[in-house]
PDB file of all heavy atoms in Angstrom:
ATOM      1  N   LEU N  84      15.063 -56.232 -24.693  1.00  0.00           N
ATOM      2  CA  LEU N  84      14.936 -56.949 -25.971  1.00  0.00           C
ATOM      3  C   LEU N  84      16.318 -57.251 -26.563  1.00  0.00           C
ATOM      4  O   LEU N  84      16.590 -58.361 -26.954  1.00  0.00           O
ATOM      5  CB  LEU N  84      14.165 -56.120 -27.000  1.00  0.00           C
ATOM      6  CG  LEU N  84      12.640 -56.267 -26.962  1.00  0.00           C
ATOM      7  CD1 LEU N  84      11.993 -55.180 -27.796  1.00  0.00           C
ATOM      8  CD2 LEU N  84      12.223 -57.622 -27.392  1.00  0.00           C
ATOM      9  N   VAL N  85      17.160 -56.249 -26.647  1.00  0.00           N
ATOM     10  CA  VAL N  85      18.492 -56.415 -27.191  1.00  0.00           C
ATOM     11  C   VAL N  85      19.246 -57.464 -26.389  1.00  0.00           C
ATOM     12  O   VAL N  85      19.877 -58.387 -26.917  1.00  0.00           O
ATOM     13  CB  VAL N  85      19.282 -55.068 -27.199  1.00  0.00           C
ATOM     14  CG1 VAL N  85      20.709 -55.302 -27.625  1.00  0.00           C
ATOM     15  CG2 VAL N  85      18.610 -54.082 -28.116  1.00  0.00           C
ATOM     16  N   TYR N  86      19.165 -57.353 -25.065  1.00  0.00           N
ATOM     17  CA  TYR N  86      19.916 -58.251 -24.216  1.00  0.00           C
ATOM     18  C   TYR N  86      19.431 -59.719 -24.399  1.00  0.00           C
ATOM     19  O   TYR N  86      20.244 -60.605 -24.614  1.00  0.00           O
ATOM     20  CB  TYR N  86      19.767 -57.852 -22.739  1.00  0.00           C
ATOM     21  CG  TYR N  86      20.373 -58.859 -21.802  1.00  0.00           C
ATOM     22  CD1 TYR N  86      21.746 -59.005 -21.702  1.00  0.00           C
ATOM     23  CD2 TYR N  86      19.576 -59.689 -21.014  1.00  0.00           C
ATOM     24  CE1 TYR N  86      22.334 -59.952 -20.848  1.00  0.00           C
ATOM     25  CE2 TYR N  86      20.118 -60.638 -20.194  1.00  0.00           C
ATOM     26  CZ  TYR N  86      21.489 -60.758 -20.114  1.00  0.00           C
ATOM     27  OH  TYR N  86      22.041 -61.665 -19.262  1.00  0.00           O
ATOM     28  N   PHE N  87      18.144 -59.946 -24.338  1.00  0.00           N
ATOM     29  CA  PHE N  87      17.618 -61.321 -24.384  1.00  0.00           C
ATOM     30  C   PHE N  87      17.725 -61.932 -25.797  1.00  0.00           C
ATOM     31  O   PHE N  87      17.869 -63.143 -25.926  1.00  0.00           O
ATOM     32  CB  PHE N  87      16.205 -61.406 -23.864  1.00  0.00           C
ATOM     33  CG  PHE N  87      16.154 -61.423 -22.353  1.00  0.00           C
ATOM     34  CD1 PHE N  87      15.888 -60.264 -21.672  1.00  0.00           C
ATOM     35  CD2 PHE N  87      16.421 -62.565 -21.663  1.00  0.00           C
ATOM     36  CE1 PHE N  87      15.863 -60.263 -20.272  1.00  0.00           C
ATOM     37  CE2 PHE N  87      16.423 -62.594 -20.265  1.00  0.00           C
ATOM     38  CZ  PHE N  87      16.119 -61.420 -19.566  1.00  0.00           C
ATOM     39  N   ILE N  88      17.719 -61.120 -26.848  1.00  0.00           N
ATOM     40  CA  ILE N  88      17.820 -61.662 -28.202  1.00  0.00           C
ATOM     41  C   ILE N  88      19.288 -61.992 -28.566  1.00  0.00           C
ATOM     42  O   ILE N  88      19.556 -63.033 -29.115  1.00  0.00           O
ATOM     43  CB  ILE N  88      17.256 -60.658 -29.222  1.00  0.00           C
ATOM     44  CG1 ILE N  88      15.742 -60.550 -29.089  1.00  0.00           C
ATOM     45  CG2 ILE N  88      17.623 -61.048 -30.650  1.00  0.00           C
ATOM     46  CD1 ILE N  88      15.099 -59.477 -29.907  1.00  0.00           C
ATOM     47  N   PHE N  89      20.209 -61.131 -28.203  1.00  0.00           N
ATOM     48  CA  PHE N  89      21.605 -61.289 -28.655  1.00  0.00           C
ATOM     49  C   PHE N  89      22.594 -61.738 -27.611  1.00  0.00           C
ATOM     50  O   PHE N  89      23.761 -61.978 -27.951  1.00  0.00           O
ATOM     51  CB  PHE N  89      22.087 -59.964 -29.243  1.00  0.00           C
ATOM     52  CG  PHE N  89      21.294 -59.492 -30.422  1.00  0.00           C
ATOM     53  CD1 PHE N  89      20.482 -58.374 -30.352  1.00  0.00           C
ATOM     54  CD2 PHE N  89      21.377 -60.171 -31.627  1.00  0.00           C
ATOM     55  CE1 PHE N  89      19.762 -57.963 -31.443  1.00  0.00           C
ATOM     56  CE2 PHE N  89      20.639 -59.755 -32.727  1.00  0.00           C
ATOM     57  CZ  PHE N  89      19.812 -58.640 -32.622  1.00  0.00           C
ATOM     58  N   ARG N  90      22.225 -61.929 -26.399  1.00  0.00           N
ATOM     59  CA  ARG N  90      23.173 -62.190 -25.291  1.00  0.00           C
ATOM     60  C   ARG N  90      24.057 -63.392 -25.481  1.00  0.00           C
ATOM     61  O   ARG N  90      25.169 -63.433 -24.957  1.00  0.00           O
ATOM     62  CB  ARG N  90      22.417 -62.304 -23.957  1.00  0.00           C
ATOM     63  CG  ARG N  90      21.555 -63.552 -23.905  1.00  0.00           C
ATOM     64  CD  ARG N  90      20.779 -63.638 -22.641  1.00  0.00           C
ATOM     65  NE  ARG N  90      19.864 -64.763 -22.743  1.00  0.00           N
ATOM     66  CZ  ARG N  90      18.991 -65.056 -21.851  1.00  0.00           C
ATOM     67  NH1 ARG N  90      18.923 -64.369 -20.754  1.00  0.00           N
ATOM     68  NH2 ARG N  90      18.176 -66.083 -22.028  1.00  0.00           N
ATOM     69  N   GLU N  91      23.619 -64.401 -26.199  1.00  0.00           N
ATOM     70  CA  GLU N  91      24.457 -65.620 -26.332  1.00  0.00           C
ATOM     71  C   GLU N  91      25.209 -65.655 -27.680  1.00  0.00           C
ATOM     72  O   GLU N  91      25.854 -66.649 -27.986  1.00  0.00           O
ATOM     73  CB  GLU N  91      23.605 -66.869 -26.172  1.00  0.00           C
ATOM     74  CG  GLU N  91      23.073 -66.944 -24.738  1.00  0.00           C
ATOM     75  CD  GLU N  91      22.215 -68.168 -24.487  1.00  0.00           C
ATOM     76  OE1 GLU N  91      22.153 -69.061 -25.364  1.00  0.00           O
ATOM     77  OE2 GLU N  91      21.612 -68.238 -23.408  1.00  0.00           O
ATOM     78  N   GLN N  92      25.145 -64.606 -28.448  1.00  0.00           N
ATOM     79  CA  GLN N  92      25.834 -64.534 -29.745  1.00  0.00           C
ATOM     80  C   GLN N  92      27.240 -64.073 -29.543  1.00  0.00           C
ATOM     81  O   GLN N  92      27.522 -63.159 -28.750  1.00  0.00           O
ATOM     82  CB  GLN N  92      25.089 -63.587 -30.690  1.00  0.00           C
ATOM     83  CG  GLN N  92      23.634 -63.942 -30.922  1.00  0.00           C
ATOM     84  CD  GLN N  92      23.483 -65.294 -31.561  1.00  0.00           C
ATOM     85  OE1 GLN N  92      24.220 -65.655 -32.475  1.00  0.00           O
ATOM     86  NE2 GLN N  92      22.535 -66.080 -31.087  1.00  0.00           N
ATOM     87  N   GLU N  93      28.175 -64.630 -30.286  1.00  0.00           N
ATOM     88  CA  GLU N  93      29.557 -64.207 -30.231  1.00  0.00           C
ATOM     89  C   GLU N  93      29.759 -62.792 -30.736  1.00  0.00           C
ATOM     90  O   GLU N  93      30.714 -62.122 -30.418  1.00  0.00           O
ATOM     91  CB  GLU N  93      30.441 -65.137 -31.080  1.00  0.00           C
ATOM     92  CG  GLU N  93      30.579 -66.517 -30.489  1.00  0.00           C
ATOM     93  CD  GLU N  93      31.474 -67.427 -31.340  1.00  0.00           C
ATOM     94  OE1 GLU N  93      32.339 -66.890 -32.061  1.00  0.00           O
ATOM     95  OE2 GLU N  93      31.278 -68.637 -31.277  1.00  0.00           O
ATOM     96  N   ILE N  94      28.797 -62.314 -31.537  1.00  0.00           N
ATOM     97  CA  ILE N  94      28.867 -60.989 -32.144  1.00  0.00           C
ATOM     98  C   ILE N  94      28.407 -59.888 -31.210  1.00  0.00           C
ATOM     99  O   ILE N  94      28.465 -58.713 -31.538  1.00  0.00           O
ATOM    100  CB  ILE N  94      28.008 -60.958 -33.409  1.00  0.00           C
ATOM    101  CG1 ILE N  94      26.559 -61.347 -33.070  1.00  0.00           C
ATOM    102  CG2 ILE N  94      28.572 -61.855 -34.480  1.00  0.00           C
ATOM    103  CD1 ILE N  94      25.560 -61.163 -34.131  1.00  0.00           C
ATOM    104  N   PHE N  95      27.966 -60.248 -30.035  1.00  0.00           N
ATOM    105  CA  PHE N  95      27.344 -59.317 -29.090  1.00  0.00           C
ATOM    106  C   PHE N  95      28.371 -58.756 -28.100  1.00  0.00           C
ATOM    107  O   PHE N  95      29.130 -59.538 -27.529  1.00  0.00           O
ATOM    108  CB  PHE N  95      26.255 -60.090 -28.323  1.00  0.00           C
ATOM    109  CG  PHE N  95      25.602 -59.326 -27.234  1.00  0.00           C
ATOM    110  CD1 PHE N  95      24.629 -58.389 -27.538  1.00  0.00           C
ATOM    111  CD2 PHE N  95      25.916 -59.540 -25.912  1.00  0.00           C
ATOM    112  CE1 PHE N  95      23.968 -57.693 -26.534  1.00  0.00           C
ATOM    113  CE2 PHE N  95      25.274 -58.832 -24.886  1.00  0.00           C
ATOM    114  CZ  PHE N  95      24.305 -57.911 -25.207  1.00  0.00           C
TER     115      PHE N  95
END
Side-chain angles (χ1 to χ4, degrees):
L84 274 169
V85 173
Y86 174 72
F87 281 99
I88 291 172
F89 298 110
R90 68 183 172 183
E91 294 181 9
Q92 303 298 317
E93 290 181 26
I94 57 171
F95 175 79

